[in-house]
Amino acid sequence: MNNNKRDYYETLGVGRSSDNQEIKSAYKKLALQYHPDRNPENKDEATEKFKQISEAYSVLADPQKRAMYDRYGHAGVSGNAGAGAWPDFSSTIFSDFEDIFGDLFSFGGVFGRGRGRRGAQRGNDLRYDLEISFEEAAAGLDTKIKIPRWETCSSCGGRGSRKGSAPVACETCGGRGQVRHQQGFFTLTQTCPQCQGMGQAIRDACPACDGEGRVRQERVLSVRIPPGVEDEMRLRVSGEGEAGTHGGPPGDLFVVLRVREHAYFERKGSDIYCDMPISIAQAVLGSEIRVPTLQGQEKLRIPEGTQSSAVFRLRGKGLPSVDGRAQGDLYVQVHVVIPTHLTRDQRRLVEMLGSSMRVENKPLARTPKERVKNNFG
Ligand SMILES: [Zn+2]
Ligand SMILES: [Zn+2]
């Protein structure tokens, strides 16, 4: 694999006699150019290139490795590492990268390792399922939820050692947080398994958290559900997840909404649909009926000669959109109820009506509109 590897000096575009400063600025220029974050349209290619220049830099910036490379070429610095393995990307080189770029880029994504304080880990995200009524989804609500979670221990501030007792340097790694394994020319750097990268050992554990640095607590949180939310919507409550470890940031809390079905309202987006029965007489003669809305009863005028399945719109009586920019409508579909049990008197009246009011029993012409049966849109 080493045969087709490009010369490190060539990769960085510097001469063999360049000094550290020249190497550093050449690397900086190229790294800014090829960083994957800056090349979203050909990320893979950029990542590959970025790794190559970073590898070259990691060797040439280290006087010892540079000398080995000058003498033995690639074999001098990659040793018996397997194909695709990295040369020594120790914490030194990483702090070097961070010196060069500050917070410009995240290196974790490119090199597959995290940044930040040694051993620090972001806390877990939490999920809380909240069931609310149809009306609550429409109007929004302020509610309190109780969540059990890990929180940073308040007696030791997350350090894990008893008040007044300072942590001591980890014996396994000598406080560096990392251990190195030498394999020929190749050095493998690993997070210290003893202290998980903290570099510290706890001599006298905090009694409140047993040295964990965090404690299990049940916390009551106030959450505001905006009006217009829908079933399965997720609300992110930033930073209210579990505490991070070793000074890492907390995770987020996700409130997943379950909206209960309504007895007679159906929802589509911001609009509400409702079915209302009316009598034959109301349909024929017209009438005023009362229909339910989210804001209470509302009068609806049924005009004379209303057909069954006719739909009436009550503007603005639906739900607001979550962003508050639109307001849905309420659609009321009327259904003419055909009686199935008649008294003797009623039967006589209908018979009278039937003989004076005839309908020609002839098939209706099918218009395209009728083919697509009006079924609530
Ligand atoms: Zn504690
Ligand atoms: Zn250690």
Side-chain angles (χ1 to χ4, degrees), residues 255-271:
V255 178
V256 180
L257 298 173
R258 280 269 152 240
V259 181
R260 279 194 295 274
E261 283 188 5
H262 196 276
Y264 38 76
F265 288 146
E266 194 184 329
R267 175 176 177 175
K268 273 175 193 147
S270 296
D271 295 327

Side-chain angles (χ1 to χ4, degrees), residues 108-374:
V110 185
F111 298 105
R113 49 181 284 177
R115 299 178 72 192
R117 220 171 112 183
R118 284 184 304 174
Q121 250 180 352
R122 185 176 175 274
N124 288 327
D125 289 335
L126 293 177
R127 174 193 168 122
Y128 185 94
D129 289 281
L130 179 64
E131 192 178 289
I132 59 174
S133 69
F134 192 95
E135 288 87 347
E136 286 170 333
L141 80 154
D142 289 312
T143 187
K144 289 192 183 344
I145 59 174
K146 208 192 260 180
I147 48 165
R149 67 180 183 191
W150 286 101
E151 294 195 344
T152 301
C153 172
S154 56
S155 11
C156 64
R159 284 183 308 276
S161 47
R162 188 191 287 271
K163 243 192 185 127
S165 113
V168 293
C170 168
E171 281 178 23
T172 308
C173 62
R176 299 178 56 239
Q178 289 180 321
V179 285
R180 289 160 165 250
H181 301 285
Q182 192 81 34
Q183 278 185 318
F185 290 119
F186 183 71
T187 309
L188 185 69
T189 306
Q190 276 186 332
T191 300
C192 171
Q194 183 64 39
C195 63
Q196 273 87 47
M198 283 279 283
Q200 294 176 339
I202 289 154
R203 205 170 30 187
D204 196 2
C206 163
C209 64
D210 278 333
E212 270 277 327
R214 40 181 214 166
V215 284
R216 198 86 181 142
Q217 294 221 306
E218 193 151 87
R219 179 67 58 174
V220 177
L221 289 175
S222 297
V223 289
R224 166 159 292 185
I225 311 295
V229 291
E230 284 184 61
D231 193 36
E232 291 182 4
M233 250 181 195
R234 299 195 328 164
L235 300 175
R236 180 208 291 265
V237 190
S238 195
E240 293 291 359
E242 296 202 314
T245 51
H246 310 316
D252 295 330
L253 168 69
F254 288 94
V255 178
V256 180
L257 298 173
R258 280 269 152 240
V259 181
R260 279 194 295 274
E261 283 188 5
H262 196 276
Y264 38 76
F265 288 146
E266 194 184 329
R267 175 176 177 175
K268 273 175 193 147
S270 296
D271 295 327
I272 300 175
Y273 294 84
C274 178
D275 289 308
M276 283 297 283
I278 56 171
S279 71
I280 296 176
Q282 284 175 315
V284 173
L285 305 174
S287 168
E288 197 176 75
I289 60 169
R290 297 177 77 77
V291 294
T293 75
L294 288 169
Q295 294 82 28
Q297 298 276 318
E298 195 87 15
K299 279 181 191 156
L300 175 66
R301 211 182 69 76
I302 306 293
E304 214 177 291
T306 290
Q307 303 295 316
S308 193
S309 300
V311 177
F312 299 92
R313 174 162 78 166
L314 281 81
R315 214 180 262 279
K317 297 293 176 189
L319 297 118
S321 59
V322 180
D323 61 14
R325 279 203 276 219
Q327 179 78 31
D329 301 323
L330 170 63
Y331 291 92
V332 178
Q333 185 171 41
V334 294
H335 298 270
V336 177
V337 176
I338 307 299
T340 49
H341 296 289
L342 298 175
T343 62
R344 199 182 292 256
D345 282 350
Q346 286 166 340
R347 176 169 291 274
R348 203 162 39 78
L349 287 168
V350 175
E351 279 167 358
M352 279 167 66
L353 193 64
S355 54
S356 80
M357 200 183 271
R358 295 197 179 273
V359 167
E360 205 180 347
N361 297 125
K362 189 184 126 192
L364 290 169
R366 290 192 160 272
T367 63
K369 203 174 159 192
E370 283 160 347
R371 285 175 198 277
V372 184
K373 201 122 171 82
N374 183 3

